[in-house]
Amino acid sequence: MTVRLDATDRKILAELQRDAGQSLDEIAKKVGSSKTPVWNRIRKMREAGIAGPQTVVLDAEKLGFEACFFVLIRTSEHEADWQARFLEALRSRPEVQEAHRLAGEIDYILKVRVKNARAYDAFYQALISEVKVHNVTALLSMEEIKSTTALPL
Amino acid sequence: MTVRLDATDRKILAELQRDAGQSLDEIAKKVGSSKTPVWNRIRKMREAGIAGPQTVVLDAEKLGFEACFFVLIRTSEHEADWQARFLEALRSRPEVQEAHRLAGEIDYILKVRVKNARAYDAFYQALISEVKVHNVTALLSMEEIKSTTALPL
DNA sequence: TATGAAAGTTTTAAATA
DNA sequence: TATTTAAAACTTTCATA
């Protein structure tokens, strides 16, 4: 389901990733085209689901979210029912910003953003009371060196 | 440097996180206010750096970025000079979407998004040739269960 | 806080290369 | 077929009540 894009499409996406707030005219100038063609390309990429919703990046620290944990989870349960409940628990908890199922020893990794260590503990207790997990390791972030959703187009 | 926000500010931020493309009128209706006050609040929050740049979320899979690794790094080097070079290497590589310095046994965690396993290996070889690291474990994501930058305001 | 008018932007449509 | 021009609809921005 990979879509064919030309160099102009890629430049447009790169600009939108950098700043989705700029006007069509500005983008058009930067990619060496004009408003209408740029608008049509963006519309097509949106329809194809390549470009999704716009969002605003908030400063987590300034909003009081001062703790970020990476959580490594091992489980002994591998039945469909257990997995369905576990995934539902992750999806419904807003503290969980990322959740991946992994290959290898460790089964899942989560990125959890909370106000403080106490809030993490509350999250942890709630999670393990909902679904049984074998082993949990929490890695506490001391410093966010880099954080971006931009893809290197 | 935490800023005081009221319930309306929070609702506005929540709406902007959900969809930054909607108009002021729509946001105003949803938060039970009108255009001008909403606009003033957004401007203030931008000036305070609480609300940052707008971006568009792209579909990594559709763009051919089919591999995502979490990389756990242990190092024996803890000198300022080594660290400065290491951080610079991470910041300058666009495959690195997240990088955190951790407390405890493991020193750093990275989230690395690449087209395929070969591209990951190229990244890995380049990184270890630039800076010496003691131990590297790569966790391969099989499935992205959840991915959001939204904070639970 | 609300109203409204000026400036700017997006979107659609028609004309042109 | 793709691009440019042009015009309508809508949004943002800001002055004033």
Side-chain angles (χ1 to χ4, degrees), chain B residues 92-136:
Chain B
S92 70
R93 302 212 148 261
E95 312 79 326
V96 179
Q97 292 198 315
E98 297 248 359
H100 291 250
R101 184 166 60 78
L102 302 174
E105 279 264 298
I106 296 162
D107 296 302
Y108 296 92
I109 188 168
L110 316 181
K111 180 184 173 193
V112 177
R113 207 182 263 286
V114 284
K115 302 237 170 194
N116 48 49
R118 193 173 305 130
Y120 172 75
D121 194 51
F123 161 78
Y124 171 75
Q125 297 293 341
L127 184 69
I128 61 168
S129 78
E130 257 182 87
V131 287
K132 190 177 136 201
V133 293
H134 176 249
N135 181 286
V136 178

Side-chain angles (χ1 to χ4, degrees), chain B residues 49-108:
Chain B
I50 292 167
Q54 277 175 46
T55 185
V56 74
V57 180
L58 303 184
D59 186 316
E61 299 270 318
K62 286 186 179 151
L63 288 161
F65 290 87
E66 298 189 343
C68 177
F69 290 85
F70 287 88
V71 184
L72 309 179
I73 295 174
R74 259 174 276 228
T75 176
S76 38
E77 313 273 329
H78 293 282
E79 295 128 51
D81 173 60
W82 178 90
Q83 202 186 40
R85 279 192 301 126
F86 184 59
L87 298 199
E88 188 39 40
L90 299 179
R91 291 210 178 94
S92 70
R93 302 212 148 261
E95 312 79 326
V96 179
Q97 292 198 315
E98 297 248 359
H100 291 250
R101 184 166 60 78
L102 302 174
E105 279 264 298
I106 296 162
D107 296 302
Y108 296 92

Side-chain angles (χ1 to χ4, degrees), chain A residues 15-76:
Chain A
E15 277 304 320
L16 287 176
Q17 285 194 130
R18 209 180 51 71
D19 176 9
Q22 63 191 320
S23 74
L24 280 178
D25 265 336
E26 284 177 283
I27 297 169
K29 208 190 300 170
K30 284 178 190 159
V31 307
S33 179
S34 63
K35 259 187 331 192
T36 311
V38 169
W39 189 77
N40 282 318
R41 283 162 183 271
I42 293 174
R43 194 171 45 75
K44 268 185 211 137
M45 293 192 284
R46 273 209 265 258
E47 278 163 14
I50 292 167
Q54 275 176 48
T55 187
V56 73
V57 180
L58 303 184
D59 187 317
E61 299 270 318
K62 284 185 181 151
L63 288 161
F65 290 87
E66 297 189 345
C68 178
F69 290 86
F70 287 88
V71 184
L72 309 179
I73 296 174
R74 259 174 276 227
T75 175
S76 38

Side-chain angles (χ1 to χ4, degrees), chain A residues 1-149:
Chain A
M1 233 281 187
T2 308
V3 185
R4 197 178 273 336
L5 301 174
D6 67 10
T8 305
D9 290 321
R10 260 175 254 279
K11 279 193 219 162
I12 292 170
L13 290 180
E15 277 304 320
L16 287 176
Q17 285 194 130
R18 209 180 51 71
D19 176 9
Q22 63 191 320
S23 74
L24 280 178
D25 265 336
E26 284 177 283
I27 297 169
K29 208 190 300 170
K30 284 178 190 159
V31 307
S33 179
S34 63
K35 259 187 331 192
T36 311
V38 169
W39 189 77
N40 282 318
R41 283 162 183 271
I42 293 174
R43 194 171 45 75
K44 268 185 211 137
M45 293 192 284
R46 273 209 265 258
E47 278 163 14
I50 292 167
Q54 275 176 48
T55 187
V56 73
V57 180
L58 303 184
D59 187 317
E61 299 270 318
K62 284 185 181 151
L63 288 161
F65 290 87
E66 297 189 345
C68 178
F69 290 86
F70 287 88
V71 184
L72 309 179
I73 296 174
R74 259 174 276 227
T75 175
S76 38
E77 312 274 326
H78 292 283
E79 294 126 52
D81 173 60
W82 179 90
Q83 201 186 39
R85 279 192 301 127
F86 183 59
L87 298 199
E88 189 39 41
L90 299 179
R91 290 209 179 96
S92 69
R93 302 214 150 258
E95 311 83 323
V96 179
Q97 291 198 315
E98 297 248 359
H100 292 249
R101 184 166 60 77
L102 301 175
E105 279 264 299
I106 296 162
D107 296 302
Y108 297 92
I109 189 167
L110 316 181
K111 182 185 174 194
V112 178
R113 208 182 262 286
V114 284
K115 301 237 171 194
N116 48 49
R118 193 174 304 129
Y120 173 75
D121 194 50
F123 161 79
Y124 171 75
Q125 297 293 341
L127 185 69
I128 61 169
S129 79
E130 257 183 87
V131 289
K132 191 179 135 200
V133 293
H134 177 249
N135 182 285
V136 177
T137 306
L139 310 174
L140 170 60
S141 172
M142 289 282 100
E143 183 188 0
E144 188 176 288
I145 296 160
K146 183 174 185 175
S147 179
T148 178
T149 58

